[in-house]
Amino acid sequence: MEIILKNCSCILTQDAKRSTLSNRDILISDGKIAEIGQNLSRSGYVIDCKNKLAMPGLINTHNHLAMTLFKGYGDDMPLDKWLKEKIWPAEQKLNAEAVYNGTMLAFAEMIRSGTTTFNDMYFFSESIVDATINAGMRGFASYPTIDHNNPEKTDSEIRNVKSFLSYLASKNTGLVKPMVAPHAPYTCSRELLERSKELALKHNIGLHIHVSETVKEVNDSIRDKDMRPVEYLESIGFLGPEVIMAHSCHFSKEEIVLAAKRGAKISHNPTSNMKLAGGSMQLKEFLDAGILVSLGTDGSASNNSLDMFNEMKVCALLHKFSNNNPEIASAQQVFDIATRGGAKVLGLEKDIGAIEIDKQADIVLINLKDISMIPNHNPISNIVYSANGSCVDTTIVNGKILMENRILKTIDEEEVTDKVNEFASTLV
Ligand SMILES: [Zn+2]
């Protein structure tokens, strides 16, 4: 199907030159951006884009989507206590249906707030694949492995990963791709990390892992292994360009050099880190070292939102404030991290992250009549500092309209919210 985004008032292309176009049409054909120009007249479905701004869909590179089920269930606690006393016991009640509905709720929130690509790790991963296909989202799903140094668990976790990879392969979809996701260096044995790496290399897919989220994690690693977490991962040959490290709040200078040398990539999760008071990733130092950085919300239990507009603002403010320097993390730089940066970290820079001919049509239309966008001195400033997800009018993924005029097209919101509330009532 062809779609014409007719007469867009503004297009933030996010191409290499960061070109901004005015009063242009975008022709979408077979899921791709086929043409950008004036007076493109074809017979496709027409969306009037007067007073609309077109931008690339936002890319959220660290999620536990179905944790929407635990939003507001345990707040104001340190990570260790929060996981042990609230989250891990609540997760015992999960089942495939609950994860499917929690993931659909996450997609409803993401589509409403302009996110088009995600990178998830969560249990009942088959349900996440099903939800992604039904919602029409683009993303990466993975089964998170944890063995707590129990060799029997190591074997069963690797079997679970292989079974998930076969399930996803059987779906024959290009929209959802797999990663291998050992949870963290402190919850996985050396053998589990090594076998995860082998699997990732064998299938030519990414490795998604939490690293150095808290000072406690780093201190425990020094106590138990005589190495900091990144040094440990390097010592077992884990680091490489296929690795995406979430959080990465407490890297030494040497660890930043190691990550850069190995081409490992980062998902920065500022809101979650601030809420759990885990610490702050050193954005400037990572970028100066040439490390690819992207932005992620983490799960709804520790954010408690999946709105990437909020995440961009928090990212900018955190680094300005903590460096006592308003010039760090400019609006353009943060917008880059949430679009082009996410695409690069996920290895999809040829496909998404910019509005350019032949790229996949993952496009978000912003309502320029929204109060947050007025006046329009600088649209990128408005997007990062003033707007939130409610200014998104239309969300398109792979050339398919997932929301138009703020009406979701692929998700029955009432059904999903009823089912999520039903599950939530079993937690208390
Ligand atoms: Zn996480």
Side-chain angles (χ1 to χ4, degrees):
M1 172 179 153
E2 288 196 341
I3 301 171
I4 298 183
L5 307 181
K6 195 83 195 149
N7 205 18
C8 302
S9 294
C10 175
I11 303 174
L12 298 176
T13 65
Q14 285 296 91
D15 64 8
K17 292 182 182 162
R18 308 299 188 274
S19 316
T20 300
L21 308 173
S22 304
N23 304 317
R24 299 285 207 290
D25 305 342
I26 302 172
L27 174 68
I28 297 168
S29 182
D30 291 331
K32 289 191 170 188
I33 298 167
E35 252 183 286
I36 302 171
Q38 284 177 313
N39 303 315
L40 302 182
S41 59
R42 301 278 167 94
S43 53
Y45 182 78
V46 177
I47 298 179
D48 177 11
C49 292
K50 188 163 182 283
N51 294 316
K52 303 263 185 345
L53 174 151
M55 62 178 232
L58 298 167
I59 298 170
N60 186 337
T61 59
H62 180 61
N63 308 117
H64 312 286
L65 295 169
M67 289 186 90
T68 50
L69 299 167
F70 307 126
K71 180 167 65 195
Y73 178 64
D75 300 305
D76 313 326
M77 296 164 84
L79 176 68
D80 195 43
K81 195 170 150 73
W82 174 72
L83 284 175
K84 285 179 183 152
E85 291 179 13
K86 297 297 289 189
I87 296 304
W88 287 343
E91 284 178 335
Q92 297 304 312
K93 298 190 176 176
L94 287 174
N95 54 51
E97 191 193 349
V99 169
Y100 179 87
N101 291 322
T103 305
M104 280 304 229
L105 185 71
F107 288 154
E109 186 178 357
M110 289 173 135
I111 294 165
R112 286 195 163 285
S113 54
T115 292
T116 51
T117 300
F118 67 85
N119 183 28
D120 195 57
M121 62 156 92
Y122 212 56
F123 313 106
F124 299 98
S125 323
E126 290 82 1
S127 295
I128 297 157
V129 171
D130 296 346
T132 308
I133 293 169
N134 292 340
M137 285 286 285
R138 185 188 303 283
F140 290 82
S142 51
Y143 171 81
T145 57
I146 296 179
D147 68 353
H148 292 299
N149 287 316
N150 172 352
E152 277 176 31
K153 195 85 202 290
T154 314
D155 286 338
S156 66
E157 288 292 68
I158 290 293
R159 276 199 301 278
N160 287 338
V161 176
K162 288 180 177 168
S163 135
F164 168 66
L165 293 176
S166 311
Y167 180 81
L168 180 45
S170 76
K171 291 287 166 179
N172 203 17
T173 166
L175 272 183
V176 50
K177 295 186 164 78
M179 287 206 192
V180 181
H183 172 265
Y186 66 95
T187 48
C188 296
S189 63
R190 174 177 179 158
E191 190 187 344
L192 182 52
L193 292 169
E194 288 172 343
R195 289 172 73 181
S196 301
K197 172 92 178 179
E198 272 170 36
L199 265 179
L201 292 179
K202 182 179 163 199
H203 293 275
N204 194 25
I205 56 182
L207 275 165
H208 183 190
I209 184 169
H210 300 86
V211 180
S212 295
E213 183 173 357
T214 62
V215 172
K216 182 181 185 311
E217 178 187 339
V218 177
N219 289 342
D220 288 354
S221 175
I222 294 168
R223 181 194 64 203
D224 299 339
K225 304 182 179 98
D226 206 20
M227 282 178 273
R228 300 172 65 88
V230 180
E231 293 169 344
Y232 169 66
L233 291 175
E234 168 71 1
S235 76
I236 64 168
F238 186 89
L239 296 179
E242 70 285 356
V243 176
I244 299 173
M245 296 189 278
H247 301 296
S248 308
C249 300
H250 303 284
F251 282 22
S252 64
K253 278 188 183 136
E254 292 74 21
E255 288 180 304
I256 292 176
V257 171
L258 269 180
K261 187 172 144 195
R262 295 293 174 215
K265 302 158 185 168
I266 306 295
S267 176
H268 176 32
N269 315 128
T271 303
S272 173
N273 299 149
M274 289 174 79
K275 184 166 181 252
L276 289 160
S280 171
M281 174 261 208
Q282 302 161 71
L283 181 67
K284 185 174 183 309
E285 288 77 2
F286 277 67
L287 293 175
D288 287 350
I291 296 174
L292 291 178
V293 176
S294 59
L295 200 57
T297 54
D298 205 356
S300 286
S302 62
N303 188 301
N304 302 359
S305 157
L306 302 174
D307 183 337
M308 284 285 284
F309 286 82
N310 288 345
E311 205 65 34
M312 286 191 284
K313 179 166 182 172
V314 169
C315 173
L317 299 194
L318 169 63
H319 296 290
K320 291 173 195 303
F321 182 75
S322 57
N323 288 282
N324 196 23
N325 181 354
E327 291 178 321
I328 287 185
S330 70
Q332 180 68 62
Q333 195 172 34
V334 173
F335 190 50
D336 284 357
I337 289 172
T339 53
R340 299 171 63 85
K344 280 186 191 160
V345 163
L346 296 175
L348 294 178
E349 65 270 28
K350 288 201 177 92
D351 301 317
I352 58 171
I355 297 180
E356 289 177 296
I357 288 170
D358 282 341
K359 281 226 165 40
Q360 303 295 325
D362 288 12
I363 298 176
V364 167
L365 299 176
I366 305 290
N367 176 13
L368 288 173
K369 293 273 196 181
D370 189 279
I371 286 169
S372 66
M373 299 299 291
I374 293 173
N376 194 6
H377 295 301
N378 178 341
I380 293 176
S381 166
N382 282 347
I383 283 167
V384 173
Y385 297 125
S386 170
N388 59 54
S390 65
C391 70
V392 174
D393 176 88
T394 295
T395 301
I396 299 170
V397 174
N398 209 40
K400 182 172 177 180
I401 300 168
L402 306 190
M403 179 174 79
E404 188 179 3
N405 298 323
R406 292 205 61 74
I407 296 169
L408 296 178
K409 302 283 187 185
T410 53
I411 297 175
D412 183 336
E413 214 168 336
E414 200 173 321
E415 187 190 333
V416 169
T417 49
D418 283 352
K419 285 182 174 169
V420 166
N421 281 330
E422 204 176 295
F423 175 81
S425 69
T426 68
L427 293 177
V428 268

